[in-house]
Amino acid sequence: MSQSETVNRKFVLAERPKGVPTEKTLRLETEDRPEAGAGQMLLRNEFLSLDPYMRGRMSDAPSYAVPVEIGEVMVGGTVAEVVTSDVKGFEAGDRVVAFGGWQDYAVSDGTGVINMGKEPENPSWALGVLGMPGLTAWAGLTQIGEPKEGETLVVAGASGPVGATVGQIGKILGLRVVGIAGGPEKCAHVVKTLGFDACVDYKAEGFPDALKTAVPDGIDIYFENVGGAVFDAVLPLLNTSARIPVCGLISQYNATSLPEGPDRLNLLLGTILRKRMTVRGFIVFNDFGHLYPEFAHQVGGWVSEGRIHYREEMIEGLEQAPAAFIGLLNGEAFGKRVIKLG
Ligand SMILES: NC(=O)c1ccc[n+]([C@@H]2O[C@H](COP(=O)([O-])OP(=O)(O)OC[C@H]3O[C@@H](n4cnc5c(N)ncnc54)[C@H](OP(=O)(O)O)[C@@H]3O)[C@@H](O)[C@H]2O)c1
């Protein structure tokens, strides 16, 4: 069933997943299309962003954001068309970036909604390189990474929307950039298309040695997106005064217990102490939301000049969203995953 003018299809959280989400985690429901009241606008979602943080919202473990309740619409960033509006600054036909969720229609009072005008170029990019993942990359690198020309930057999750942007900005800022990605195809893309100096396949045998060879001067900035075994290989290669923006730990999002093996906490803390490293976690909108205009100006400029390449994986149909999301967590995504609803 495709998008209709009278019906709202929506995915609600059916149960909290234990480990990897399954086809039972989300349930497709239909209802009459909602109407916007006074001071509200009706949005028709055209593109839905799929992002790793959604796994966290499915869980009720303590986090920086409230979980989605059972039976509630799954949250998500969207690009939408304004259908009707009683909100100042928005009129029918405008394209907006909103938090419309996994559904066809959403009602909004305009809070947090960005108006892109009637005919924005590449509207879905506002969910990727020019939106939340792009801001995450730019702010994490520039505000926590404190890059200096000639330094070595290592980026995990290098072919994904955040990692790809981090590495390309690193190159623009004069760094030597080494990516870490899963498989030869993604690594070839990272070097040949994105312009990283090297890329190491963490799934290949001998990964820790290959990483060591790729960073002859050690690592000054490690942009952490994945955690787990990748971080274990990075830790001994970090230089004195290294900076680690801790952005994400996707290898752990489906974990149900701590990993097996010896306790490495003292190794980690001892390394931080001896090498006087800075390790700082961040949540993009809490910490750096106020920098959005500066980001949009700088990264928007680089994108329009063709200095930052952006790869998008567009998947047609709302009904595809749950499987596409599970695939994202499993490493199937190659670029930014977006669901096209309209
Ligand atoms: N702190 C914040 O405010 C903030 C904001 C946005 C995103 N993030 C985080 O940033 C990270 C990247 O986000 P993104 O949107 O660009 O997603 P992404 O990189 O597209 O995430 C999916 C990729 O993660 C990699 N991956 C999955 N399981 C892995 C594992 N066990 N070990 C190593 N890599 C694994 C896979 O790449 P390979 O095929 O290469 O393995 C997969 O394609 C995520 O951790 C996300 O949660 C944080």
Side-chain angles (χ1 to χ4, degrees):
M1 182 181 166
S2 56
Q3 211 168 42
S4 133
E5 287 186 10
T6 53
V7 172
N8 183 39
R9 301 169 303 165
K10 58 181 186 179
F11 273 106
V12 302
L13 186 63
E15 62 179 34
R16 300 205 184 281
K18 292 180 188 67
V20 183
T22 69
E23 73 279 5
K24 290 188 180 155
T25 304
L26 296 152
R27 183 175 63 239
L28 186 60
E29 294 184 352
T30 54
E31 62 185 9
D32 290 345
R33 191 189 85 171
E35 295 297 332
Q40 296 181 324
M41 56 184 165
L42 178 66
L43 304 178
R44 182 181 67 80
N45 291 335
E46 295 182 293
F47 301 103
L48 166 68
S49 178
L50 294 182
D51 296 279
Y53 77 82
M54 291 166 170
R55 176 63 186 84
R57 298 288 199 286
M58 293 173 173
S59 161
D60 58 4
S63 183
Y64 61 91
V66 289
V68 175
E69 294 300 334
I70 301 294
E72 262 184 11
V73 177
M74 189 60 208
V75 293
T78 48
V79 162
E81 181 190 17
V82 177
V83 182
T84 62
S85 172
D86 186 37
V87 181
K88 204 169 159 229
F90 297 92
E91 59 179 53
D94 285 346
R95 312 286 277 282
V96 298
V97 189
F99 215 56
W102 292 38
Q103 58 185 344
D104 287 316
Y105 292 96
V107 171
S108 164
D109 65 4
T111 307
V113 178
I114 298 171
N115 194 342
M116 299 192 288
K118 293 259 181 315
E119 284 177 24
E121 223 178 298
N122 303 312
S124 61
W125 291 21
L127 301 172
V129 66
L130 298 178
M132 186 277 282
L135 175 62
T136 302
W138 174 83
L141 179 61
T142 59
Q143 307 301 303
I144 302 177
E146 295 180 10
K148 292 167 204 70
E149 210 176 325
E151 287 189 329
T152 298
L153 162 70
V154 169
V155 188
S159 72
V162 173
T165 312
V166 170
Q168 293 182 88
I169 295 174
K171 286 306 299 173
I172 291 171
L173 299 180
L175 304 175
R176 178 163 191 278
V177 181
V178 176
I180 300 174
E185 197 194 350
K186 285 184 178 176
C187 272
H189 169 75
V190 164
V191 173
K192 289 188 190 139
T193 308
L194 305 182
F196 288 32
D197 296 285
C199 182
V200 187
D201 177 358
Y202 74 92
K203 291 181 175 167
E205 208 158 308
F207 160 65
D209 289 337
L211 183 62
K212 189 173 178 188
T213 307
V215 293
D217 298 328
I219 301 171
D220 299 300
I221 307 169
Y222 173 55
F223 197 101
E224 176 63 291
N225 280 326
V226 305
V230 170
F231 184 74
D232 288 342
V234 164
L235 186 63
L237 304 174
L238 290 160
N239 289 335
T240 296
S241 301
R243 285 84 65 199
I244 306 183
V246 182
C247 174
L249 298 171
I250 195 167
S251 73
Q252 306 303 304
Y253 291 173
N254 289 321
T256 51
S257 62
L258 289 171
E260 304 258 319
D263 180 352
R264 294 187 292 271
L265 184 61
N266 285 326
L267 172 67
L268 171 64
L269 292 178
T271 309
I272 293 171
L273 172 64
R274 281 189 301 280
K275 292 187 174 170
R276 294 176 280 132
M277 300 184 331
T278 301
V279 181
R280 183 180 158 195
F282 69 102
I283 301 299
V284 64
F285 287 122
N286 301 50
D287 293 297
F288 301 125
H290 62 287
L291 297 178
Y292 184 84
E294 191 181 336
F295 151 77
H297 176 72
Q298 189 161 53
V299 176
W302 287 332
V303 169
S304 56
E305 288 161 16
R307 298 178 75 189
I308 293 186
H309 175 90
Y310 180 55
R311 181 179 174 122
E312 199 175 52
E313 247 186 15
M314 189 67 74
I315 297 169
E316 294 257 349
L318 178 63
E319 60 282 1
Q320 307 298 334
F325 176 65
I326 294 167
L328 169 74
L329 295 176
N330 290 341
E332 282 165 24
F334 193 172
K336 171 72 197 174
R337 276 207 164 169
V338 174
I339 301 293
K340 188 170 189 294
L341 292 113

